[in-house]
Amino acid sequence: LEEKLQQIQQALDAQDPAGFLDAEEAMLTCVFERAGNQTLMSFIRTLWARSRYYKMVGVKDVFETGNIALLYDEAAQFVAGATTQDEEMALDALLTALKRAEDGIRAELG
């Protein structure tokens, strides 16, 4: 997970939204695959692929405003929760990221 977090930081440093989403999905995959549910993982990957446009829209404003530290902080909180098995912390990080993305999509699409 620390390696995936470094990849997220590299994508953010490069101002690469697509690279960020790839690295974020790789990080989440590390955790989700631990559940051992291949059907669920297949569903998640399909959902990610189908929602890629909206995911890009969801991070666009963060990159445009230069507030990319926010994206790193969300990922770092998730990693901290996952590595310490603090389910509440990990879930809180996911919900915060989803809310931020939702707000970005709503702002962009009106």
Side-chain angles (χ1 to χ4, degrees):
L1 286 176
E2 289 298 327
E3 179 182 313
K4 301 305 180 195
L5 196 54
Q6 288 175 356
Q7 291 171 355
I8 286 172
Q9 185 64 62
Q10 291 168 351
L12 294 173
D13 290 344
Q15 295 289 310
D16 180 7
F20 163 74
L21 291 177
D22 291 342
E24 181 187 52
E25 288 174 5
M27 175 195 68
L28 293 170
T29 298
C30 284
V31 174
F32 295 166
E33 283 185 339
R34 299 272 321 229
N37 187 332
Q38 293 305 314
T39 302
L40 177 60
M41 205 57 237
S42 176
F43 176 74
I44 290 170
R45 284 191 178 104
T46 299
L47 183 60
W48 283 341
R50 290 184 177 192
S51 64
R52 184 64 173 216
Y53 169 79
Y54 296 102
K55 291 177 77 173
M56 287 294 287
V57 170
V59 298
K60 178 183 171 192
D61 63 322
V62 179
F63 277 86
E64 287 176 352
T65 61
N67 195 15
I68 58 174
L70 175 69
L71 298 174
Y72 181 84
D73 292 345
E74 291 170 356
Q77 182 184 352
F78 176 77
V79 167
T83 56
T84 61
Q85 297 183 352
D86 184 335
E87 294 172 12
E88 188 173 323
M89 179 188 289
L91 181 59
D92 199 37
L94 289 175
L95 292 175
T96 298
L98 285 172
K99 177 66 175 143
R100 182 211 22 86
E102 177 187 1
D103 291 346
I105 291 167
R106 286 183 187 277
E108 184 70 23
L109 300 179

